[in-house]
Amino acid sequence: MKKLPKLPRMAAVHDLSCLGKCSLTVALPIVSATGVECCCIPTALLSTHTGGFTDWTFTDLSGDIVPIAEHWHSLGVGFDAIYSGYLASEAQGKLLERAIELLRGENTLVIVDPAMADNGRYYANLGETMTECFRGLIKKADIITPNMTEACFLTGMEYRPGVHDEAYVTELIDRLSELGPSLVAITGVSTENGRVGIVARDNRSGKMCSVMNKTLDGMFHGSGDVFASAFAALLTRGATLDDALDTAEEFVTAAIERTAARATPRRNGLDFEGALPDYIDTCRKLFE
Ligand code: PXL
């Protein structure tokens, strides 16, 4: 076999919700399918995620976050990316900041998905303190991927569910950029009736890109995590912003269509599995 380049390595810091396909159960397969090693730091163990279920079990793994990072640091392994999502508490934000300090090298991409809210509301058991927590964390991030609700909470701007005009979206991106990240991608943006997608801006070049698709009725749980996992992994492999955005969006749209076609209960998460072969094919073409 001919010589291969070094395998990119990512630290994925999320909870492990055992049923309902979000956070680590989504990040691990998707990051791996992108051709990036996914080293997991589980922040909590839940029987299900907290959207649409009740009576879930919850084990806090906060005490393991920094020791895992310290051990990896002592081994001298380098990380091309650190990708975080949902946090179970404000305190976990501080621990994650410490883990980032330990694991970050000169060229490490830090991707923070401030997963705390959707549809104008915080997730169960989370509140305004999470906004402050993510504002602090975002100062350490190169890339952020909030949805519309999270973007509004982080900037203090009014949440609008409906069609979003260009001035409103640009102001959201401007204000999020003031928090420090060099790349902002907002999901769940609707620039015209019946279409929804992602708008991104690279603040180093000033380049804006967007990708919109037909909306399917209602909310698909876990779609933010499926998008962010693919987007983060594609950028870690060195995809351009345009390619990462198009490929991640195409993948999440295919996964949503499969979920709708199968009438999978929305709280069970996206049926992304069947969309993986085409996604892997696209990755192969992008990176060969
Ligand atoms: O998909 C975001 C997410 C992650 N982890 C847990 C959640 C949610 C959203 O509800 O509850 C535990």
Side-chain angles (χ1 to χ4, degrees):
M1 193 175 186
K2 73 173 179 2
K3 250 185 127 181
L4 292 170
K6 189 181 133 291
L7 185 66
R9 181 183 291 122
M10 171 189 279
V13 191
H14 305 253
D15 62 281
L16 177 53
S17 288
C18 302
L19 186 145
K21 288 189 274 186
C22 64
S23 30
L24 275 186
T25 62
V26 159
L28 183 52
I30 295 172
V31 170
S32 300
T34 315
V36 173
E37 176 183 352
C38 185
C39 306
C40 301
I41 302 189
T43 54
L45 179 68
L46 295 90
S47 50
T48 64
H49 60 72
T50 67
F53 292 98
T54 54
D55 306 321
W56 57 85
T57 70
F58 177 85
T59 306
D60 192 350
L61 300 176
S62 295
D64 283 338
I65 297 174
V66 174
I68 290 173
E70 281 171 341
H71 184 213
W72 291 352
H73 178 72
S74 78
L75 297 174
V77 290
F79 287 88
D80 300 289
I82 303 166
Y83 161 47
S84 75
Y86 177 94
L87 296 172
S89 67
E90 207 188 333
Q92 288 196 339
K94 290 283 165 234
L95 299 170
L96 178 53
E97 285 185 34
R98 178 70 194 127
I100 292 172
E101 278 165 23
L102 283 162
L103 300 178
R104 173 177 233 165
E106 216 180 306
N107 298 315
T108 307
L109 270 185
V110 177
I111 303 121
V112 171
D113 183 14
M116 60 175 165
D118 207 354
N119 288 311
R121 293 179 22 207
Y122 285 100
Y123 292 140
N125 299 349
L126 300 184
E128 271 171 32
T129 54
M130 288 316 290
T131 292
E132 237 359 89
C133 162
F134 276 116
R135 281 203 193 112
L137 200 54
I138 283 171
K139 290 199 185 97
K140 296 208 179 313
D142 301 299
I143 300 166
I144 60 169
T145 54
N147 62 30
M148 259 300 174
T149 303
E150 290 152 355
C152 290
F153 288 179
L154 287 165
T155 56
M157 283 176 64
E158 178 204 359
Y159 170 70
R160 298 185 198 157
V163 171
H164 309 115
D165 61 62
E166 199 181 315
Y168 175 69
V169 177
T170 304
E171 190 176 349
L172 274 174
I173 294 180
D174 284 344
R175 293 219 209 162
L176 287 166
S177 302
E178 283 166 17
L179 299 171
S182 46
L183 176 56
V184 173
I186 307 183
T187 62
V189 182
S190 180
T191 50
E192 55 183 296
N193 246 326
R195 294 183 83 72
V196 70
I198 300 126
V199 179
R201 189 174 75 199
D202 183 336
N203 290 320
R204 289 159 305 184
S205 61
K207 183 182 162 63
M208 288 272 280
C209 338
S210 72
V211 51
M212 293 288 145
N213 236 300
K214 197 165 90 260
T215 44
L216 286 175
D217 263 355
M219 129 127 190
F220 286 81
H221 205 281
S223 48
D225 292 3
V226 170
F227 168 77
S229 297
F231 188 61
L234 286 158
L235 292 170
T236 302
R237 267 205 83 174
T240 62
L241 174 57
D242 277 317
D243 284 344
L245 197 60
D246 287 350
T247 307
E249 211 275 339
E250 201 177 299
F251 175 53
V252 75
T253 300
I256 288 174
E257 282 171 359
R258 297 181 70 85
T259 313
R262 194 175 267 139
T264 300
R266 299 288 171 97
R267 67 182 188 175
N268 289 12
L270 289 194
D271 292 343
F272 67 86
E273 295 83 349
L276 278 173
D278 282 349
Y279 175 71
I280 291 171
D281 255 7
T282 307
C283 289
R284 192 176 292 128
K285 285 184 196 123
L286 279 179
F287 302 117
E288 75 191 2

